[in-house]
Every structure is written in C-alpha cells, then in structure tokens.
Amino acid sequence: METSSIFSGLENEGMRDLTNTLKIQPTYTYEPNILELQPARVVCCMDGAPSKNVNFRGCKIIRLLVSADSSDVTTFPVNLTIAGPCYYTKEDKKDFEIMMRTREQSLLMKLPYISKFDWPDYRAIEQCPKCCKRQKPSSSGTRYWLVYQQCIQCTEIGVGTRMMPRLMCEECFESITDEFYVSVVVGSGFEAVGPETIAPLLDVIEDQGPITWLQNGQRLANHVDGTFLGAYKLYCAWEYSGAFQAMCDEIGRQMQSAMGDISENQGFEYNFVGQQQAPPSTYWEMSQIPDKEGRVCDYDGCANVHGKRVAPKPGKKKGKKTRLQECLGCFDVMYCSEECQKAAWPDHKAVCKEAQRKRKEEEEKGKARQKIDAEEKMAAALASFVPLSITPQGGGGKKKKGKKGGAKKKKGKK
C-alpha cells in the first residue's frame, strides 16, 4: 500500500512518522468490545475552565477494535470508542474550533495553548474516519455518530497521545456495526439480575439513551428531542461525568503495556492489534432487553419495519435503515421518525397522558415509601441508643464545696 493512500491528509508529521492515520483502512475488519471502567477519583480538565476532581462512579463503554485477522497491520490501528448519536450545529463547530485549536491558532485567538504537542485542528473532528468527507453544520437534524479515536505522535520532545473526537456519517457507522451483536442482560449497576441474551449492537446503544455508557436506561435531561444531543454537549457530558478521563486513563495504560521502547535513535515498535484488547465484559446491562426485530412503526400511516432499509434517495446506493424509537411519554409505542410521532399524536395523546399520570403516581408512592422507611430506621436507631453515664473528671463534690467556701472567704476578706 502506498504511504500517501493510508493518510487522510490532516495528520501532522509526528503522526505520520508513527503511521498514525485518521483514516479507516479498507482492509480493516472490526469487532465490538465492552470495556468496564472502574470507579475512581479523576481530574476533569475542560478547556478554559479550572480543573476539578470528579468522583467517577464507573461504567461500561462500547469500543470498536481492529480485529487481529485484519490483513493490514502496517498502520497504527484506528480503534474507536462509541460516544453516541448527535447533531452537528454551527454552535458545536464554534466550540470545537476553540477546543481543537493549534498552537498557531491559539496565538491568533489570544488564548493559551497548554499541550506540549501540536495536533490537527477541528477539521479532524468534522472528517468522517471512513469516507473522509467533511461534515457540515446543519439545522435540519442530520444525525451523526460521535466516536473517540486514540491518536499518537512522536516528536523531538517525546511521545504524545490524545483521545480525539470524530464525527462519523450515519451510513458509514452502520456499515461497520450493522452485523454486530452483543450479550445483554437486565441489570442494576454491575450486577446481573436477568437472563443473558443476544441483541443487535445498534439497538442496545439507542435503547440506552443518548450516551452509550449510561446504565439502566437513564436519560439525560434537556436533550433536543429525547433521542440525542449536539456533538459538543455530548462531548461535555462525557467530560463532566469523569467517564472521558477514566476512559483515557484505562486505554492509556493498555497502550503503555503494548508499546516498545522509543528513543531518538531507535524506531518505534508496537503490536496493538489483538494485544490492546482488554478481556471483554460478559454482558451489557439494560433496564429491559430491546425487542424490536420485525416491529412496524406504530403510526397507522407508516409501514416501515425496524432494521429494514427504506427506498434510497436520489444519488444514493442504499436507503437508510429504519430505527424505531420509544415514545418518551409512555414508553409503550415506537416510531421511526419525528414526523410519524407528530402525525400519530392526536390519537395517541390520551393514552400517553394517562400512562404518564400512572407513572408519576408510582414514583410519588415510591418516594413516600422511601421516606417512611427512612423515618422508621431513624426511630429504631434512636430507640436502640443508650446514653452512657458520664462522671466529671475532677472527682467528687467535696472539691466543689471547697471552691465555694474559698469564694466565700474571699468575699469575707473584702
């Protein structure tokens, strides 16, 4: 393979020296890997804000790793961590332009540049790792997938690594993950409480909400339409939770164990393919097992089936795959698009409102039970508390009388 064909055109010299490409090679094959991040106290470092310590509670993340049987192992593997689906707006672009500035751009912006190494600017985020097309900000709701790519470069001052966010076309993302299945169970935290089964990877990710690492179907507040966020907000959600730094630390440790010696006189030797993979976790926890295979959109005027492709648009080879999403009001019906949800709302409104009312009543009853349980525990604790008899440290009362007598004598002298 020619050296020029393996690069996307945005890599700097230090990355090229280590054949660290921003482009997924055509000979790559991927396999999913669930990595468990342990609870830890991490330092959250957002650009332009003071660092703060975060008590990271632990989570599981889904990675796409270049498989060991890929025929091309001459490049640094483009391993990806799935951040989640997202929009890409003009506001996102402005934020990424500042966050991903180069040293030269920092001088023009009159902003400090903290890193010892110079990295590609925001254009690397906009460039799809697979087709290398630049994503353009849009207000039309075009969906992308935010992924993280581990990058590395070698310069005169040493070796630097960075976890770089990338925006991937939905079509390109599906072409990699379309046939992937993972083991899932109904779980709470990291404890399995239900039977293990197999489910499509895309269904597992989308049923968990806008962020792939959230456990037990938790939803992130203030997201745009109940499904996904803007790209920069999604990145910030990872950062502020501590998940981003915990991921960087864990993957950094794996890289360190796989790297050979580096010096100015020696070449860089590594074998990341296969070795970089940590033992995969046995399951991915969910609040419920996704059951969408063969299900039709619940809007009467639509016949789209989950997992089936719709007719391709003009100029496209393949149509978009139908992905059903739950109604966030009742969680009982599913629609393939926002248009179908709006069209079905007049007929669905009464049922949805009733389901929300019942769920609110159950939540209030649950809170009341928790309050009663807490009060009962406190009452039991107070009832079992026996105070100890406390003896004054000075001894008996004779000394106290002596003190009083002494005080009277002084008064008598006056």
Side-chain angles (χ1 to χ4, degrees), residues 209-236:
I211 301 179
T212 57
W213 48 260
L214 285 179
Q215 303 294 317
N216 304 323
Q218 297 178 54
R219 303 275 176 174
L220 192 69
N222 301 322
H223 45 282
V224 180
D225 64 354
T227 307
F228 42 96
L229 303 164
Y232 188 73
K233 286 185 178 179
L234 179 57
Y235 168 78
C236 290

Side-chain angles (χ1 to χ4, degrees), residues 57 78 99 118 173 182 185 202 206 213 263 278 302 351 394:
R57 295 181 296 174
V78 183
M99 188 189 86
D118 223 357
F173 184 81
V182 291
V185 297
L202 285 175
E206 294 188 355
W213 48 260
S263 69
C302 179
V351 177

Side-chain angles (χ1 to χ4, degrees), residues 27-326:
T27 53
Y28 278 177
T29 56
Y30 281 90
E31 53 188 32
N33 176 270
I34 297 176
L35 177 62
E36 184 173 330
L37 302 177
Q38 299 298 324
R41 190 166 178 81
V42 299
V43 180
C44 176
C45 303
M46 285 293 288
D47 188 35
S51 301
K52 65 175 183 178
N53 293 322
V54 176
N55 288 320
F56 172 60
R57 295 181 296 174
C59 70
K60 292 185 178 182
I61 59 176
I62 301 178
R63 304 184 66 207
L64 302 175
L65 303 182
V66 178
S67 60
D69 58 356
S70 291
S71 57
D72 178 14
V73 292
T74 60
T75 62
F76 186 90
V78 183
N79 291 327
L80 306 172
T81 299
I82 303 174
C86 63
Y87 290 110
Y88 186 56
T89 63
K90 291 181 179 179
E91 290 73 21
D92 295 320
K93 181 175 181 177
K94 289 178 182 177
D95 289 327
F96 279 128
E97 280 181 348
I98 296 173
M99 188 189 86
M100 296 292 292
R101 63 187 182 273
T102 62
R103 196 183 304 277
E104 185 179 351
Q105 290 168 348
S106 295
L107 294 174
L108 295 174
M109 295 179 186
K110 297 181 179 179
L111 293 172
Y113 190 79
I114 302 172
S115 176
K116 296 178 181 178
F117 301 89
D118 223 357
W119 295 96
D121 61 14
Y122 74 96
R123 291 175 297 171
I125 295 178
E126 293 185 334
Q127 186 185 60
C128 175
K130 193 170 191 299
C131 67
C132 292
K133 291 181 180 178
R134 287 274 300 277
Q135 320 296 2
K136 296 180 180 180
S138 172
S139 57
S140 62
T142 303
R143 190 166 84 155
Y144 301 102
W145 283 86
L146 185 69
V147 296
Y148 298 123
Q149 178 187 348
Q150 183 69 44
C151 295
I152 188 169
Q153 64 171 302
C154 184
T155 66
E156 295 177 353
I157 60 175
V159 177
T161 62
R162 182 171 191 171
M163 192 66 72
M164 189 173 295
R166 312 284 306 279
L167 283 174
M168 204 168 184
C169 312
E170 188 168 23
E171 186 177 345
C172 290
F173 184 81
E174 287 185 355
S175 69
I176 294 177
T177 59
D178 199 17
E179 304 300 325
F180 288 162
Y181 286 74
V182 291
S183 298
V184 294
V185 297
V186 175
S188 174
F190 292 114
E191 298 179 3
V193 296
E196 184 176 327
T197 186
I198 302 296
L201 175 64
L202 285 175
D203 289 357
V204 169
I205 294 173
E206 294 188 355
D207 278 26
Q208 281 295 92
I211 301 179
T212 57
W213 48 260
L214 285 179
Q215 303 294 317
N216 304 323
Q218 297 178 54
R219 303 275 176 174
L220 192 69
N222 301 322
H223 45 282
V224 180
D225 64 354
T227 307
F228 42 96
L229 303 164
Y232 188 73
K233 286 185 178 179
L234 179 57
Y235 168 78
C236 290
W238 275 73
E239 184 71 72
Y240 286 133
S241 69
F244 182 82
Q245 189 59 49
M247 170 187 66
C248 292
D249 293 344
E250 177 59 31
I251 295 177
R253 283 191 289 269
Q254 293 180 17
M255 288 183 65
Q256 206 168 19
S257 64
M259 286 194 303
D261 295 329
I262 302 172
S263 69
E264 292 182 5
N265 299 322
Q266 288 182 327
F268 178 54
E269 299 177 358
Y270 57 85
N271 184 14
F272 286 96
V273 179
Q275 286 190 17
Q276 191 176 0
Q277 299 180 22
S281 181
T282 54
Y283 58 84
W284 178 258
E285 299 102 338
M286 301 192 71
S287 56
Q288 60 182 12
I289 302 300
D291 184 19
K292 298 180 180 180
E293 290 293 328
R295 182 162 175 171
V296 182
C297 177
D298 283 316
Y299 172 49
D300 293 337
C302 179
N304 289 340
V305 179
H306 180 81
K308 303 293 183 181
R309 294 189 184 276
V310 298
K313 293 182 179 180
K316 296 285 185 180
K317 294 181 180 179
K318 290 183 179 180
K320 187 178 178 181
K321 268 198 171 184
T322 299
R323 294 289 171 193
L324 298 184
Q325 299 289 336
E326 289 178 331

Side-chain angles (χ1 to χ4, degrees), residues 306-351:
H306 180 81
K308 303 293 183 181
R309 294 189 184 276
V310 298
K313 293 182 179 180
K316 296 285 185 180
K317 294 181 180 179
K318 290 183 179 180
K320 187 178 178 181
K321 268 198 171 184
T322 299
R323 294 289 171 193
L324 298 184
Q325 299 289 336
E326 289 178 331
C327 168
L328 295 182
C330 64
F331 297 102
D332 290 330
V333 298
M334 295 185 181
Y335 302 105
C336 66
S337 65
E338 190 176 349
E339 290 74 19
C340 285
Q341 186 178 19
K342 288 180 179 179
W345 180 243
D347 296 329
H348 178 59
K349 182 177 179 179
V351 177

Side-chain angles (χ1 to χ4, degrees), residues 3-15:
T3 306
S4 59
S5 65
I6 67 174
F7 294 112
S8 69
L10 296 179
E11 297 86 355
N12 59 28
E13 186 178 352
M15 295 171 68

